[in-house]
Amino acid sequence: MPSITRIDPEPFFSLPHRTSGPAGAPLHNRLPFYRAYATGLPSHVKSLVLTSDLQGRETGGQNRLLGVPVAEALVGLSRDGVIPAPDAVFLCGDLYDYPDCRKRGGTGPVDEVLQAFSVMAPEVVGVLGNHDQMEYPEALPDNTTVLDGGVIRVLGNLTVGGVSGIVGNPNRNQRRTEDDFLAALESVTDQAPDILLLHQGPTDPERAARRGDPGVALSLETGFQGLTVFGHTRWDWPWLISLGESQALNVDGRVVVVLPEVDGV
């Protein structure tokens, strides 16, 4: 079972992009990439990629969703020896932004992002955020799975579960009542996956400013022992917390490349 031991505090790479701003005009930002280290990874795994909330568009004429150049950047970084080639990518939702980046909170199809990651990694597993839709879910590549209440096995012996969406009005995109969300969550954690993917994650019980769902926090604290990866709300450093016997890692608006911890480091 993976356990994060440390995260480098400074990014090793950043990717320029546009994203919707608060006043109807695009903002120009840079997406940071970080290294983290973990014990308990399968012995053959050289790196895993964790990311969420890639709400933006690339700079330049093609105007693709930000997740597409992120996938290409990871290929380039591995080709140049900066990181090992990722064995799997785990996506925690909110991968869409309007083509003209005119307004925050746009909802639309993210098929092209899933397709891009499927080309550069042997395994891709994700959950949908509250701003994500699938235009052609039946056309997902064979190595790509979107979870919503299920658990799968990847990379030989690593189990991954996931719940899409957030707590909210069930009549809106990728939302369900809190009771239904927690029931879906606990149906997954009852299966004791090694990694749990959520879009909406827990609040930090020790830091009120680190927003999330307190019901999710309580459920994880009392009923889960693995690593939860989530997004939806931005946390400042540190992004990793302990909840009972489990860990929870917020990857909102960042790419985290997880490497095996080296003995004695």
Side-chain angles (χ1 to χ4, degrees):
M1 182 176 294
S3 177
I4 303 290
T5 57
R6 57 193 172 100
I7 304 169
D8 288 345
E10 297 297 328
F12 67 90
F13 179 76
S14 65
L15 185 67
H17 65 282
R18 298 176 301 114
T19 188
S20 293
L27 299 176
H28 293 268
N29 289 339
R30 300 190 73 92
L31 178 74
F33 290 52
Y34 293 85
R35 291 186 182 89
Y37 304 85
T39 58
L41 298 174
S43 59
H44 64 284
V45 168
K46 300 299 187 291
S47 78
L48 304 175
V49 172
L50 316 174
T51 189
S52 182
D53 296 83
L54 304 179
Q55 290 163 294
R57 295 274 172 168
E58 67 181 325
T59 56
Q62 295 187 71
N63 202 37
R64 299 171 299 178
L65 287 169
L66 176 58
V68 179
V70 168
E72 294 174 348
L74 289 164
V75 171
L77 290 166
S78 61
R79 183 185 59 238
D80 294 342
V82 178
I83 60 170
D87 296 284
V89 174
F90 300 123
L91 304 169
C92 292
D94 273 7
L95 308 176
Y96 184 78
D97 201 349
Y98 288 120
D100 55 2
C101 296
R102 71 182 186 275
K103 181 182 177 183
R104 287 182 172 174
T107 297
V110 297
D111 305 56
E112 68 173 294
V113 176
L114 295 168
Q115 178 66 42
F117 281 110
S118 75
V119 172
M120 54 78 57
E123 302 270 8
V124 179
V125 185
V127 294
L128 297 179
N130 53 300
H131 295 295
D132 296 335
Q133 296 174 337
M134 290 294 299
E135 190 170 13
Y136 302 108
E138 71 282 356
L140 275 177
D142 291 342
N143 67 335
T144 302
T145 303
V146 174
L147 292 172
D148 189 18
V151 176
I152 64 167
R153 187 177 298 275
V154 299
L155 302 174
N157 60 353
L158 192 70
T159 53
V160 183
V163 179
S164 290
I166 64 172
V167 173
N169 182 346
N171 294 322
R172 299 184 64 192
N173 187 67
Q174 293 295 335
R175 291 164 172 84
R176 43 166 57 103
T177 67
E178 180 155 22
D179 285 348
D180 286 348
F181 189 92
L182 293 177
L185 170 62
E186 289 167 10
S187 74
V188 172
T189 56
D190 284 348
Q191 300 175 66
D194 299 309
I195 296 175
L196 171 67
L197 305 181
L198 301 175
H199 181 58
Q200 178 160 37
T203 189
D204 182 347
E206 297 183 0
R207 303 174 182 88
R210 299 183 187 280
R211 295 179 298 113
D213 188 279
V216 172
L218 179 62
S219 179
L220 295 176
E221 189 170 22
T222 57
F224 187 52
Q225 297 182 355
L227 171 66
T228 299
V229 187
F230 66 99
H232 188 55
T233 55
R234 185 66 55 91
W235 289 6
D236 294 327
W237 183 271
W239 328 307
L240 179 71
I241 63 172
S242 295
L243 291 169
E245 297 182 64
S246 70
Q247 292 181 311
L249 178 67
N250 186 326
V251 294
D252 179 305
R254 56 185 67 97
V255 177
V256 177
V257 180
V258 180
L259 309 170
E261 182 64 278
V262 178
D263 290 343
V265 175

